Amino acid sequence: MIKRQYLIILLVVFLFNEGYAQKFDVGLTLNPSTFNRLGFDKPAIIFSDYSSADVGIYGFSIYDFSYGYPTLYGLLNSGIYLRYHAKPFYLKTELNYQTKAFRFSCKSYQFVKQFFYYSCIEVPLIAGIQFNPQHVIKYKLQVGVNTEIGKFDHASILSPFNIRGNHHDINHEFLDRMSTVVYYYHLGIGFDYYGMSVDLRAEKNINNLNKELSDYNANFTDALMIRLALGFRISGHHLNKKTQQLNKE
Amino acid sequence: MKYSAVITNFTLTTIVILSLLLNCCKKAEVPAPILAPGTISAEYISHTPTELKFKVRFFVLDSRNNNDLTEMDIANSIYIDSFTDDFGTQFSYTLNSVKKVTTPLLGKASTAVMWDLSEIEEDKYNWFGPQYMQNQEIACRKFFKLSPPENEFVFAAYSTNNYYIPNDTINIFSNGFTNNTSFYDQRLAQFRNNTIYYGLTPVRQALDTMLDFTISKAKNANKQIIAFTHSEDNMGGPYWNSIIQKAKGNNIPINVVMNYQSDGNFPDYIKLACSTGGFVFYVSNYLDGRSLPVLASGLNNIVQGNFTCFESEWTANVSSEVFAPGFVEASYIELKINNNYNLFPYMPFYVEIP
């Protein structure tokens, strides 16, 4: 259902494109820093090799989550964007490659510094407003929906995830339990400065993160993310301004 | 647009190339074998003042054989070490025969699993404590999950002054037996977070409570107790013989999975298992307990019977006349193997001359 909505929005964007080509710009995105929090409803996740991993501690609600923080993978989190301007509003869509890393909150002896990693393709759709569009630094507020698709596991190659003495691919099992497509809503603030945009976005999942709910195994409850999202315009809006001026002359 | 496509492609290509390179660099490792040896039963055959014949049934599960009974040449691999006791009597042992046998079918089982959460005092075990607890957890979960639907089980833990079980001799984590193989998943994962437990081992009291619980709540005729222990006994409770009588009277074998502590009541545990018809699994050579998950693969077959194991017959000879009614032969069979892997598997047993 949500996919259809996306298609309609994209269609509208392209219809606008016919008449207002000069109002579009395209660019590169970079999400170098992401703070993630993944919640679970039980303290331990059980794997198919009969082992388990801690994802929370009894009685300490603040620790009942697994946290992720920026890693070097952030340097690979990049993509492209397309933005439509109808001042002071704008619509923006992105296509990003994104890696998400989570650290178990429970620092039990066995699982120190263990991560759950996965990479995915993201398609955020954003609507925003610029408060001072005439200024050089344009402050903005934005809301949107983000679709996370095409998850894949590269843990066996890049991740140090490995429980001591146990070579089972647990990262893969984590990923296997997660819904193939996850939708997030997001709220962001930021500013545009010439061809660069700087956003701080908070995102939370909309649909269930689990493929199947289990009575005795830990289920994902929610995923929260705060990310620094950068955009670098490479063509579009600013070039068209010159064209408009030439046409007027 | 062109540049963005190039850069995105570049990052993805880099990942693919890196992954291929790293995968190519990996060496194919052959995992070291894990052997899980245990004693099924020990039986007196005959004796003279200087000669004792006895029979020991045992198993050696082998990771190289899909955690099934080992295919190694067992007749040329087992021995009992000679020794001289404090009175100067020399003991020597000869293997008469060894063959494969199948244990009697006992049918669907009601099994009570008990964990010892007291402190592991030996430094070497403390060092490996976390892995030991983790392997113990994996073994129990595997045993539960591999249980056929007609089997039922209950899980309990015993200790005192423990963070998790304060002031309790034993904590049985449900009101009865269950055949839900996932029921204890979270409970089993709870205990390994603390790597060193502080508490005493009220094993006799715990066993007595567990026996009463099993007698009253177990539905199947084949009732069993599996006690995971560090072979200590620091608290009071009924005498060992009283527990043995109670278990035998109710036809409940007490199986013992143990590691060793120098100040432990090692012989009492062996006697407990061998006298009640339970098996002894001595986690001797793998301090981290990595043989426990291998044992778990065969555990359901062991408790249900119809389990293929080895039966060995031995003759003990002594230099002076010591064999008489009431004499106790408590020793262990050792497994002689290609010791590239530093394995020293022991199978303890207890035989009493009637």
Side-chain angles (χ1 to χ4, degrees):
Chain A
M1 188 61 112
I2 295 173
K3 270 184 187 172
R4 277 185 195 168
Q5 288 170 356
Y6 277 18
L7 285 173
I8 291 166
I9 293 167
L10 279 171
L11 199 63
V12 169
V13 167
F14 280 102
L15 283 173
F16 270 91
N17 191 18
E18 287 299 311
Y20 302 94
Q22 73 281 6
K23 293 191 171 184
F24 279 94
D25 59 43
V26 293
L28 300 177
T29 62
L30 182 66
N31 301 321
S33 287
T34 312
F35 293 87
N36 306 312
R37 194 190 80 170
L38 191 60
F40 294 88
D41 63 354
K42 294 182 191 70
I45 188 160
I46 315 296
F47 300 106
S48 64
D49 72 337
Y50 314 107
S51 65
S52 64
D54 296 325
V55 288
I57 295 176
Y58 286 107
F60 299 98
S61 59
I62 194 169
Y63 294 121
D64 283 347
F65 301 97
S66 290
Y67 290 91
Y69 46 76
T71 64
L72 283 174
Y73 293 122
L75 299 175
L76 300 174
N77 295 340
S78 54
I80 53 171
Y81 76 80
L82 174 68
R83 183 158 65 168
Y84 168 73
H85 293 269
K87 285 178 182 177
F89 301 102
Y90 64 89
L91 291 173
K92 188 179 183 186
T93 183
E94 296 176 0
L95 184 67
N96 295 330
Y97 165 82
Q98 184 79 19
T99 298
K100 293 178 179 176
F102 298 93
R103 182 187 180 118
F104 295 126
S105 65
C106 180
K107 307 291 188 298
S108 67
Y109 193 84
Q110 303 95 313
F111 303 113
V112 174
K113 292 180 182 173
Q114 302 297 346
F115 290 83
F116 160 44
Y117 287 88
Y118 69 88
S119 294
C120 60
I121 302 297
E122 289 182 331
V123 186
L125 287 178
I126 300 160
I129 179 170
Q130 288 176 333
F131 294 114
N132 51 347
Q134 306 306 324
H135 288 71
V136 177
I137 298 178
K138 304 172 180 67
Y139 294 104
K140 60 189 183 181
L141 179 69
Q142 61 189 31
V143 293
V145 182
N146 188 2
T147 307
E148 184 181 284
I149 51 172
K151 289 191 188 63
F152 61 92
D153 175 22
H154 55 71
S156 56
I157 302 156
L158 294 173
S159 166
F161 194 115
N162 182 19
I163 291 176
R164 244 184 292 168
N166 192 343
H167 301 289
H168 191 69
D169 187 355
I170 281 167
N171 195 64
H172 182 73
E173 276 200 45
F174 255 106
L175 188 58
D176 214 32
R177 292 165 56 82
M178 194 173 261
S179 296
T180 316
V181 180
V182 181
Y183 302 102
Y184 298 84
Y185 58 80
H186 90 249
L187 186 68
I189 53 169
F191 63 88
D192 292 342
Y193 181 70
Y194 291 106
M196 187 175 82
S197 72
V198 179
D199 300 342
L200 199 62
R201 299 179 196 166
E203 301 176 33
K204 188 178 182 305
N205 62 302
I206 300 170
N207 62 327
N208 194 335
L209 292 170
N210 304 278
K211 277 182 186 164
E212 283 179 18
L213 284 172
S214 167
D215 290 338
Y216 298 99
N217 207 341
N219 300 299
F220 303 110
T221 52
D222 53 10
L224 293 171
M225 275 173 287
I226 297 174
R227 77 170 74 185
L228 175 68
L230 306 177
F232 303 97
R233 190 166 60 201
I234 53 174
S235 70
H237 196 46
H238 63 301
L239 297 176
N240 289 333
K241 270 185 180 174
K242 285 181 183 173
T243 316
Q244 283 171 15
Q245 280 174 352
L246 285 172
N247 286 341
K248 278 178 187 174
E249 285 168 13
Chain B
M1 195 69 179
K2 267 184 184 175
Y3 295 123
S4 65
V6 167
I7 287 170
T8 312
N9 273 337
F10 174 73
T11 53
L12 289 171
T13 314
T14 312
I15 291 166
V16 171
I17 291 169
L18 266 175
S19 55
L20 285 173
L21 277 174
L22 286 170
N23 270 336
C24 290
C25 294
K26 276 185 184 173
K27 280 183 182 174
E29 288 177 17
V30 179
I34 300 172
L35 298 178
T39 312
I40 291 279
S41 63
E43 212 176 291
Y44 161 83
I45 299 174
S46 66
H47 81 281
T48 65
T50 56
E51 190 182 88
L52 169 66
K53 287 185 188 296
F54 58 93
K55 195 193 290 184
V56 180
R57 285 183 173 182
F58 65 93
F59 60 86
V60 182
L61 304 182
D62 194 334
S63 64
R64 293 167 296 189
N65 195 25
N66 197 24
N67 297 345
D68 217 336
L69 205 63
T70 187
E71 288 181 337
M72 59 197 286
D73 177 13
I74 208 74
N76 291 314
S77 306
I78 53 173
Y79 67 100
I80 301 173
D81 240 349
S82 304
F83 70 97
T84 305
D85 71 5
D86 294 343
F87 305 103
T89 308
Q90 291 172 359
F91 288 73
S92 59
Y93 300 86
T94 314
L95 174 65
N96 301 330
S97 67
V98 62
K99 61 183 178 187
K100 273 187 186 176
V101 293
T102 303
T103 59
L105 178 65
L106 301 171
K108 52 189 177 183
S110 298
T111 311
V113 175
M114 306 163 61
W115 273 15
D116 180 355
L117 293 183
S118 63
E119 181 185 10
I120 304 175
E121 286 179 347
E122 298 284 309
D123 283 346
K124 60 182 182 181
Y125 280 107
N126 277 343
W127 182 256
F128 287 98
Q131 286 121 307
Y132 190 91
M133 293 303 285
Q134 188 186 340
N135 280 318
Q136 186 169 279
E137 174 197 338
I138 291 171
C140 282
R141 191 176 286 117
K142 191 173 184 181
F143 168 56
F144 293 156
K145 288 197 183 288
L146 293 178
S147 286
E150 65 271 17
N151 281 7
E152 55 174 19
F153 38 82
V154 69
F155 175 58
Y158 60 102
S159 180
T160 54
N161 305 323
N162 188 291
Y163 175 80
Y164 291 105
I165 314 175
N167 308 317
D168 263 330
T169 305
I170 185 165
N171 201 336
I172 302 169
F173 297 111
S174 72
N175 295 324
F177 284 74
T178 177
N179 63 353
N180 185 335
T181 57
S182 302
F183 188 77
Y184 295 110
D185 273 356
Q186 293 294 319
R187 182 65 72 180
L188 288 168
Q190 180 188 352
F191 297 109
R192 64 172 151 67
N193 294 331
N194 245 15
T195 56
I196 300 172
Y197 292 88
Y198 295 98
L200 304 175
T201 313
V203 63
R204 287 175 289 162
Q205 212 142 30
L207 279 170
D208 197 48
T209 311
M210 203 74 247
L211 275 167
D212 289 338
F213 185 90
T214 307
I215 291 163
S216 62
K217 300 280 176 94
K219 293 189 193 84
N220 296 324
N222 175 16
K223 300 176 176 60
Q224 306 253 354
I225 290 176
I226 302 176
F228 287 77
T229 177
H230 310 142
S231 68
E232 279 190 296
D233 176 29
N234 295 318
M235 296 283 285
Y239 290 116
W240 286 103
N241 280 341
S242 157
I243 293 165
I244 290 168
Q245 289 313 314
K246 194 174 196 171
K248 283 173 80 172
N250 291 283
N251 201 20
I252 303 176
I254 298 175
N255 306 285
V256 174
V257 178
M258 61 196 291
N259 60 24
Y260 175 74
Q261 299 208 72
S262 56
D263 60 348
N265 287 34
F266 186 74
D268 285 324
Y269 282 87
I270 311 292
K271 180 183 174 183
L272 175 75
C274 290
S275 306
T276 59
F279 69 80
V280 183
F281 186 78
Y282 181 35
V283 192
S284 56
N285 48 305
Y286 302 104
L287 300 183
D288 62 1
R290 74 180 67 168
S291 55
L292 289 169
V294 177
L295 167 72
S297 299
L299 213 45
N300 275 293
N301 289 334
I302 294 171
V303 296
Q304 285 186 127
N306 201 22
F307 173 70
T308 304
C309 63
F310 298 109
E311 185 179 272
S312 57
E313 279 190 25
W314 300 83
T315 302
N317 292 100
V318 286
S319 57
S320 56
E321 298 182 353
V322 293
F323 293 136
F327 179 88
V328 170
E329 176 63 52
S331 185
Y332 47 81
I333 300 172
E334 287 182 67
L335 203 55
K336 196 166 41 181
I337 56 170
N338 174 1
N339 228 354
N340 287 340
Y341 307 109
N342 292 320
L343 304 179
F344 302 96
Y346 298 105
M347 288 163 279
F349 63 88
Y350 176 98
V351 176
E352 191 171 345
I353 299 177

